[in-house]
Amino acid sequence: MIRPLPGWMDPLLARLGTARVEDFTTLPTPDSGGRQSAVLVLLGEEPGVGPDVLVLQRAATLRNHAGQPAFPGGVADPGDADLVATALREANEEVGLDPDSVTVLAELPKLWIPVSDFVVTPVLGWWHRPHPVHSREPAEVAHVARLPVAELVDPENRLRVRHPSGWIGPAFSVRGMLVWGFTAGVLAAVLEMGGWARPWPRDRVVDLPPTAATPAPSAGTDEADELAGR
């Protein structure tokens, strides 16, 4: 069954027309260069639970970003028609998402991650026909989850994390996952633009566990809305 766009999405859709890089990060995106990439920020809804967002958790054995939650996504392939196609293809390859189950709503501003030289386009989608998803490659993806927006905005689940490099950024502690870095930065901005965010104690700062602290995000930053770590 195809679900129409729900009313709770209206404030976010209205805000997207004025979304800027500055809503997500203090780092300007270069005019050229960078590794063109895309991630899928997929909003869904479950009866009795409400709005949610799809995330995956990287396998603990990976060389980079081991155990780190992330949006489905990756680097653009030459065969991709555009960056929307990149996001949908990667989501299909990683978690078995049917691209036809998604209504693409918008491409958010391109965001630069200096540590990896990725230029990432978050693609916002509505999961109009949700279906079971799972890791298609356990060596890369350990777990797939739908994180309820109500839990993401709960002040008890919000904090900031400090990387050994000194970088401090937003994070969410939800359902056994510590979501930080690029993913947390995009989530925080989307929650604000949707009007869903609630006041939370920004002085709650914890050190990243050693297993989560590589690779280092941009050195020398101390901004709650900084994006890094993908």
Side-chain angles (χ1 to χ4, degrees):
M1 180 181 70
I2 296 179
R3 301 180 183 180
L5 289 175
W8 52 259
M9 200 177 284
D10 291 345
L12 175 61
L13 296 178
R15 178 68 173 79
L16 290 178
T18 59
R20 306 171 303 157
V21 169
E22 292 79 6
D23 293 320
F24 297 85
T25 177
T26 58
L27 294 173
T29 301
D31 293 332
S32 61
R35 304 170 65 187
Q36 296 298 312
S37 311
V39 297
L40 182 64
V41 183
L42 185 60
L43 297 175
E45 185 174 30
E46 285 195 283
V49 178
D52 58 35
V53 61
L54 183 71
V55 300
L56 55 84
Q57 188 161 22
R58 302 293 181 192
T61 54
L62 288 179
R63 181 176 179 181
N64 294 319
H65 315 298
Q68 189 172 341
F71 299 119
V75 179
D77 277 354
D80 294 337
D82 50 29
L83 289 168
V84 169
T86 297
L88 294 174
R89 172 184 56 75
E90 287 282 344
N92 174 262
E93 293 175 359
E94 291 179 325
V95 305
L97 181 76
D98 178 5
D100 291 334
S101 71
V102 178
T103 298
V104 174
L105 301 174
E107 293 182 34
L108 301 179
K110 294 179 182 291
L111 306 172
W112 181 47
I113 304 177
V115 67
S116 57
D117 198 29
F118 280 111
V119 175
V120 184
T121 298
V123 175
L124 185 69
W126 161 240
W127 206 358
H128 64 248
R129 193 174 66 242
H131 61 85
V133 289
H134 62 279
S135 171
R136 296 188 66 179
E137 184 52 69
E140 295 185 4
V141 176
H143 179 58
V144 184
R146 296 175 65 174
L147 300 182
V149 168
E151 295 182 25
L152 289 168
V153 300
D154 186 335
E156 292 297 318
N157 296 332
R158 298 202 64 174
L159 66 156
R160 297 199 296 163
V161 293
R162 181 188 295 108
H163 190 276
S165 68
W167 174 89
I168 298 177
F172 301 82
S173 181
V174 180
R175 300 200 172 190
M177 290 185 177
L178 178 63
V179 184
W180 66 284
F182 177 89
T183 304
V186 172
L187 268 178
V190 170
L191 294 173
E192 289 286 347
M193 289 191 293
W196 307 319
R198 297 165 56 189
W200 55 281
R202 296 174 184 267
D203 59 350
R204 183 188 295 153
V205 181
V206 303
D207 292 330
L208 271 176
T211 55
T214 55
S218 316
T221 60
D222 187 21
E223 298 288 340
D225 62 348
E226 192 60 52
L227 304 181
R230 182 167 179 83

